[in-house]
Amino acid sequence: MRVIAGDARGTKLETLPGEEVTRPTIDRVKEAVFSALQFSLPGARVLDLFAGSGQLGIEAISRGAASCVFLDRDRRAVDIVTKNCKAAGVFDRCRVAQGEAEGFLAATKDTFHIVLLDPPYHHGTLAAILPAVANVTAPGGTVLCESELAADLPDECGGLHKKKQYRYGKVLVTRYEKERAE
């Protein structure tokens, strides 16, 4: 697994063994996700929830995001994210935390221009967490959800509107945008 574009392009990233902890996003899915975000990335505040190895947030910073908060509940994953951020030379623009997504979303006062969600598959996590994610997404912000094809996601949720879905083999990427403030 590596960073595919930007300042940290080519940096090899570590991951924990076993898909129950981390499931690396394949390069063609990652490229498609970031092609959809290319004009939103410069200067953006990013949240990489369920960070795993941190590859999505690191890719965002490499491509011009101002900062990224990485969150994962697994201590080993948090250690890998920290190591990967340092290897990619982006650690100064990162905050890496361990904790449950629900608790973080309820407590944070921050808002984010881009939220990247890649939780464990087959648990209904995305649909359950979207209302809380909507609360921390800045007006005009984007939420990208990676899931299994059968994931049941709402068309609207807390000001988030489903704009597009992309299918890549067994992976579904859903793009939400938050309403702009009037």
Side-chain angles (χ1 to χ4, degrees):
M1 182 174 51
R2 63 186 174 84
V3 179
I4 57 175
D7 297 339
R9 185 176 69 135
T11 302
K12 291 186 180 182
L13 302 175
E14 293 186 30
T15 186
L16 293 171
E19 288 190 7
E20 69 280 351
V21 179
T22 19
R23 183 190 57 261
T25 301
I26 59 175
D27 282 355
R28 73 183 176 115
V29 173
K30 194 168 20 173
E31 185 60 52
V33 163
F34 285 97
S35 289
L37 290 173
Q38 67 182 332
F39 300 112
S40 303
L41 280 169
R45 292 183 312 273
V46 177
L47 173 60
D48 187 350
L49 211 55
F50 312 102
S53 65
Q55 69 167 330
L56 295 177
I58 292 168
E59 190 76 38
I61 292 174
S62 179
R63 292 173 182 237
S67 63
C68 185
V69 173
F70 297 86
L71 183 81
D72 202 285
R73 67 179 181 188
D74 189 293
R75 167 51 50 202
R76 298 168 302 155
V78 168
D79 292 342
I80 289 288
V81 170
T82 301
K83 187 174 185 179
N84 284 338
C85 288
K86 289 178 180 178
V90 300
F91 190 70
D92 61 326
R93 292 173 274 166
C94 300
R95 188 173 74 192
V96 183
Q98 179 183 3
E100 294 292 331
E102 297 84 356
F104 172 83
L105 293 169
T108 190
K109 302 292 185 230
D110 296 330
T111 59
F112 302 92
H113 300 112
I114 297 170
V115 181
L116 305 168
L117 302 173
D118 186 10
Y121 287 2
H122 308 294
H123 297 286
T125 305
L126 285 173
I129 202 86
L130 274 174
V133 168
N135 291 334
V136 302
T137 303
T142 301
V143 176
L144 285 175
C145 309
E146 185 177 329
S147 66
E148 70 280 10
L149 289 176
D152 186 22
L153 298 175
D155 290 334
E156 294 183 37
C157 182
L160 294 175
H161 299 276
K162 188 189 297 180
K163 292 296 183 182
K164 193 158 185 174
Q165 289 188 304
Y166 312 86
R167 288 180 171 77
Y168 304 96
K170 296 179 181 180
V171 176
L172 179 66
V173 177
T174 304
R175 178 185 176 128
Y176 286 92
E177 292 179 11
K178 182 141 185 203
E179 301 168 341
R180 294 198 180 273
E182 296 289 320

